[in-house]
Amino acid sequence: MFHFMRPLYLFCCGFLSTVEHGFPHQPSALAFDPKLQLMAIGTKSGAIKVYGAPGVEFTGLHRDTSAVTQIVFLPGQGRLLSLLDDNTIHLWELVAGRSVLLTLPPFSPPPPPILLPSATRVTVLLLLRSCDLLCIGTEGGGVYFLELPSLTLKDNQTLLQDQITQSLPDDYRCGKSLGPVESLQEHPQQSGKVLIGYSRGLVVLWDLSARQADQLFLGKQQLESLVWERSASLFVSSHNDGGYSVWPVTSGNTYSHQPASSTIPYGPFPCKAINKILWRTTQTGSPVLLYSGGMPRASYGDRHCLTIQKDKDHVTLDFTSRVIDFFTVHSIEQDKEFDDPSALVVLLEEELVVIDLQTPGWPSLPTPYLAPLHSSAITCSCHISSVPPKLWERLANAGKSWPICGGKNLAPPPKQQELLLTGHEDGTVRFWDASGVALTPLYKLSTANVFHTDCDPSDDSQDPSNDPDMQQEEEWPPFRKVGCFDPYSDDPRLGIQKISLCKYSNKLVVAGTAGQVIVLGLSDERSDHLVDVSVVDLLQDREGFTWKGHDRLEPRLKPAPFPPGFQPLVLVQCLPPASVTAVALHAEWNLIAFGTSHGFGLFDYHRRNAVCTLHPNDSLAMEGPLSRVKSLKKSLRQSFRRIRKSRVSGKKRTISTPTSKVMQEEVAPVQRRIEPRSADDSLSGVVRCLCFADTFLRDSTHHGPTLWAGTNSGSVYAYALEVPGIGSGRACERGGASESSVCVEAVLGKEIQLMHRAPVVSICVLDGRGKPLPDPYEAAQDLAIAPEMTNAHSVLIASEEQLKVFSLPKVSAKTKFKLTAHEGCRVRKVALVVFSSTAQEDYSEHTLVCLTNLGDMHLFNIPGLRPQVRYDCIRKEDISGIASCVFTKNGQGFYLISPSEYERFSLSAKVLTEPLCSVTHSHSVSDCQGHSLY
């Protein structure tokens, strides 16, 4: 129970994984139920995920972590079969809020999975339309039959190769094995008749009831797949030479020696196999042919392709990852004459692509879920809660159609709109709708066009080679790049390291790997403009220093086109171009702060003032009120000497001035001693965190803007800011002529050195009630309770080893909590979270949540830092998961469980985001109230 010294009924919390967002890691199988409009994806780790309309999700996990190699739906029943790599077959049903292994009889232990003889490895499954018999093709060439739902083997139905070879002509037999069964396809018009395709090329139309072959098709090319034409007058076979053949099916003809036609579409030179082929009929009379593979070996053998053909329309979809499987959404009603496919769904190794087959040009459809979070490697993330409707409307893209629409989402509309922002290695920032179960992509921002890179496209628009229409006519195969997964960054310096968004002013700051800090504003119109550039050399007065890292990105010197959305206003370029390690934005003051391993700086993006570095060596005597005010332009040249020296020369830092506040550690009986760290750490100058606050720093009477910075060496610097137009801690209207020429000024007000030099992870100023200060504009627009400014403020500093609260303005220690260094525990992430009462609607408490390098989460009340509860959440070996964790303000969070998937969790019993859905089918009604693992 979670009670904050309140009655136990008020609060309830617990760590609960609620839903997985993103694209399944290492997918291995795909299936579709055309009656229920549900899609299933199996993975190499043994997971099965079922998707319908956005918000409809079911998840199951096999006991063993064997790869799922095939999935087969029992259409309309809410059941499915899975084949694993260990040669076992499992029957699943969507019941009671989760996907579970079917138990027969009810409530008894499940029967053991069917394990076929070791010599008969399963190669292919076919469920007959009656849904009571499963045909199993094997490597040995035998076909077995399983009764459903009992999963019992029908021995009297087994079809072995010997029974087939006896019927073959002598010249075809030649003593050779027919090879594994590659494909099984039931006759579309006559139940109980099955096409059996063998690897050697033989295809048999087998009558199950009569137990005899109706027709044999004596193919000689190695077989890959089979597909019936809807009327069953013909079928198509694809082969390993990159060709396909059309075979007519006629009664009274026992043997067919030659197909009606054979084609190698990308010949005549040797081609790769066509792994799978589909033939779909349309009302226009021209079939749609879809097949994967078939590329010329020498020229395009490494391409991952799928071809769509209809009459003269021919396109080769060119993907960046391997094709796992695909299907079409089309008419399955028996009284309909044509398939009339509406969509093509392609499961790739790294993403899901859906093609609209009814719109000319066959465009891609945006996915409302299963979008590849890792289209470029995720480098950072940021969560924004309670997004204002105006901003949401400008970001959201309405009117998207989606062909997989099974089930019903029963979840109520979200009480607030939530954004998850992800920064990527290729310099993009992606905005995701994180309000519900389906993590839906909203918008993608690219920062690459702010710079000149090595991969800039040619500016010569007259060059015919740059004309896509010309390329379409001349190029063969007619490739079209499809999908958004692109693991290769044009320039690694573009990588996004930090993101900060003000949801009220629509200002966005993104900072990157090469010291670039970009301020952007939201615009609904396309714009061609030149981005203002301000360069600051953090070490320009340091002689003898040589930067041995990468060069900075060169900004464009000409106006560049920027699409509607967030558009760059100004670029701040740090020198040396080291990676930006911290960013803070205060849109109400028009200020940004940024930090690297060489110092930190402040920038007024409203007046476009040059970035000014702040460094503590210019501190003044602080026994009395702060009287001297130092221009930031003057401090530019002095450039953060103390941090720089520890970074460049590695000399031991000592603070001997009487103005310093040193934390004296006293070991409490219940807390283990923290181990001191060396002052010679070459990374001691890295700025770990920055924050703005309107608080009391000069004295206990006057409050005003301040900037706080924490470093890797356990140093905290607090600066009093003089911001034109900001007086007595209240925002004033800006824009006057006299104000525009006045510079922001800063003075080092306080300096804290943690005795054990542990890196500072987080700094937060608390008001007179012990509550965190509201975000910029929140209180001014009556969107949050105004901070308490009459009682004394305090500052909460979290280092990797301890939490401590200091009173302001004297910076005297009030309370602390030490985490153990003896067990190797280090704080990795800190957040202040609001927990709402489950019993009292209008009551809530702020709580400090700490995630450690051991993967556990500790909850503390504030400002007392009293431990509340601890949860084991993430495996300590999962370094990526711990590093990627991001908290929401209402007690939820996200962390990467694979490069392409976020696990969503909740620490609050009241705030949960989990599937709440139903699927109505012929067998039963399945209700889902959150997924669970089998």
Side-chain angles (χ1 to χ4, degrees), residues 303-315:
R303 297 283 187 101
H304 309 291
C305 296
L306 190 150
T307 298
I308 310 175
Q309 288 180 237
K310 182 183 179 184
D311 292 333
K312 295 181 179 180
D313 295 327
H314 186 137
V315 66

Side-chain angles (χ1 to χ4, degrees), residues 371-684:
L373 295 166
H374 65 318
S375 52
S376 173
I378 295 175
T379 49
C380 64
S381 58
C382 172
H383 183 270
I384 308 296
S385 60
S386 302
V387 179
K390 288 185 178 180
L391 173 58
W392 189 264
E393 290 169 8
R394 296 171 74 178
L395 290 174
N397 233 339
K400 298 174 182 175
S401 59
W402 184 243
I404 301 164
C405 52
K408 185 177 181 181
N409 184 8
L410 302 178
K415 294 182 179 179
Q416 62 179 29
Q417 304 292 352
E418 299 182 20
L419 282 175
L420 181 67
L421 279 61
T422 53
H424 297 264
E425 191 178 48
D426 62 356
T428 59
V429 178
R430 296 164 197 256
F431 291 65
W432 308 86
D433 179 359
S435 311
V437 170
L439 190 68
T440 306
L442 292 176
Y443 165 65
K444 182 177 80 170
L445 161 71
S446 176
T447 62
N449 56 349
V450 178
F451 307 97
H452 282 294
T453 64
D454 295 336
C455 301
D456 282 340
S458 171
D459 293 329
D460 186 4
S461 59
Q462 302 302 316
D463 185 353
S465 64
N466 291 330
D467 187 346
D469 295 330
M470 294 289 289
Q471 288 182 327
Q472 185 75 10
E473 293 177 8
E474 296 174 5
E475 189 177 29
W476 185 261
F479 288 119
R480 183 208 293 171
K481 286 285 185 184
V482 179
C484 60
F485 177 73
D486 183 8
Y488 307 107
S489 173
D490 290 344
D491 192 327
R493 296 174 297 173
L494 291 168
I496 305 299
Q497 296 299 320
K498 297 294 175 182
I499 303 171
S500 182
L501 172 66
C502 176
K503 59 191 177 184
Y504 303 112
S505 65
N506 300 333
K507 290 295 186 295
L508 173 69
V509 175
V510 295
T513 304
Q516 70 272 30
V517 182
I518 308 172
V519 183
L520 305 99
L522 188 60
S523 174
D524 297 325
E525 303 294 333
R526 183 184 182 276
S527 174
D528 289 70
H529 65 266
L530 185 65
V531 179
D532 293 337
V533 179
S534 184
V535 179
V536 57
D537 186 350
L538 296 174
L539 295 177
Q540 69 180 19
D541 66 339
R542 174 67 181 180
E543 296 179 2
F545 175 80
T546 303
W547 170 252
K548 297 181 180 179
H550 46 237
D551 294 334
R552 66 168 178 159
L553 287 160
E554 290 298 326
R556 291 185 183 272
L557 302 178
K558 296 180 180 179
F562 298 102
F566 280 99
Q567 298 173 349
L569 304 174
V570 62
L571 163 66
V572 179
Q573 178 63 60
C574 301
L575 294 180
S579 181
V580 177
T581 55
V583 151
L585 165 67
H586 200 295
E588 204 166 355
W589 301 338
N590 293 331
L591 295 177
I592 60 167
F594 56 88
T596 74
S597 55
H598 300 283
F600 55 94
L602 192 66
F603 184 77
D604 182 343
Y605 61 83
H606 177 69
R607 296 170 179 78
R608 303 292 198 269
N609 280 359
V611 175
C612 301
T613 60
L614 309 176
H615 69 91
N617 267 7
D618 295 319
S619 59
L620 47 112
M622 284 183 266
E623 288 82 5
L626 297 176
S627 56
R628 286 188 352 196
V629 176
K630 189 167 184 61
S631 168
L632 295 184
K633 287 188 175 180
K634 292 179 182 178
S635 67
L636 172 64
R637 299 248 172 220
Q638 294 159 348
S639 186
F640 201 45
R641 285 195 196 96
R642 186 171 299 160
I643 290 182
R644 184 191 60 239
K645 286 180 180 177
S646 68
R647 170 69 173 166
V648 178
S649 63
K651 294 180 180 178
K652 184 172 182 178
R653 298 179 56 197
T654 59
I655 299 178
S656 57
T657 63
T659 61
S660 303
K661 298 291 183 180
V662 180
M663 289 185 57
Q664 301 297 330
E665 310 288 351
E666 294 180 2
V667 181
V670 296
Q671 299 170 357
R672 294 185 178 91
R673 182 178 296 277
I674 296 173
E675 299 171 352
R677 303 196 182 193
S678 169
D680 296 327
D681 183 2
S682 62
L683 297 178
S684 63

